[in-house]
Amino acid sequence: MDKLKKVLSGQDTEDRSGLSEVVEASSLSWGTRIKGFIACFAIGILCSLLGTFLLWVPRKGLHLFAVFYTFGNIASIGSTIFLMGPLKQLKRMFEPTRLIATIMVLLCFALTLCSAFWWHNKGLALIFCILQSVALTWYSLSFIPFARDAVKKCFAACLA
């Protein structure tokens, strides 16, 4: 458990710079980080569900859906900031192994909101929300060793 805490908080093998020492000096306790993660992740799920229910509201449903669903997914991703810290989260998001997944997630966020507010296309908003979910799943799998390879092999076996 201590190794997990060190890895998630960024204390395992990295060099310590002055900035990282300042960030760590003001960091939250491990228990507070876990509570913040759970709270932020739960808020993200609730917002996504609320957005799904609001889709069927006349006139403003599409706008509410796009905003709540996208905000819920952003909150879910943001919840890991409590575990790793904001700087390490940003560094890990843009590592070469997950750069394409990160770009796809951010692009789907933007396209979902564009399809709702500028293009007023409900079908397109739904398609981008589905793509959001797929991109977030692929992004999340990048944090689990060999998970992407396992998914690729599973799909290859199913399609063969």
Side-chain angles (χ1 to χ4, degrees):
M1 188 67 167
D2 290 332
K3 179 67 176 168
L4 179 64
K5 287 180 186 179
K6 286 181 181 180
V7 168
L8 289 176
S9 65
Q11 299 173 353
D12 57 341
T13 59
E14 291 184 16
D15 262 347
R16 297 289 166 228
S17 65
L19 179 62
S20 66
E21 288 177 9
V22 170
V23 170
E24 286 180 11
S26 63
S27 66
L28 303 170
S29 71
W30 184 250
T32 305
R33 287 176 180 228
I34 294 294
K35 290 174 189 170
F37 167 76
I38 292 170
C40 196
F41 192 74
I43 288 169
I45 290 172
L46 288 174
C47 284
S48 294
L49 287 173
L50 180 62
T52 303
F53 294 133
L54 291 174
L55 178 63
W56 310 113
V57 172
R59 290 188 214 153
K60 295 289 182 185
L62 177 62
H63 300 282
L64 294 171
F65 167 70
V67 169
F68 277 99
Y69 192 81
T70 302
F71 178 74
N73 286 333
I74 290 170
S76 295
I77 287 179
S79 66
T80 58
I81 288 174
F82 285 100
L83 297 178
M84 290 186 250
L87 294 176
K88 186 168 184 182
Q89 172 71 14
L90 285 174
K91 285 179 188 176
R92 291 188 77 187
M93 282 178 75
F94 292 99
E95 287 176 350
T97 57
R98 58 184 66 89
L99 180 63
I100 294 172
T102 300
I103 290 170
M104 289 303 299
V105 167
L106 297 175
L107 187 65
C108 286
F109 288 162
L111 290 174
T112 300
L113 295 174
C114 286
S115 64
F117 289 105
W118 286 284
W119 305 325
H120 303 289
N121 190 331
K122 192 180 267 192
L124 201 54
L126 287 173
I127 289 171
F128 286 131
C129 284
I130 292 168
L131 290 175
Q132 252 186 58
S133 298
V134 171
L136 278 171
T137 301
W138 193 250
Y139 169 79
S140 299
L141 287 174
S142 71
F143 286 96
I144 303 169
F146 305 109
R148 286 184 181 180
D149 293 332
V151 170
K152 286 179 189 177
K153 288 179 183 177
C154 181
F155 274 104
C158 289
L159 295 175

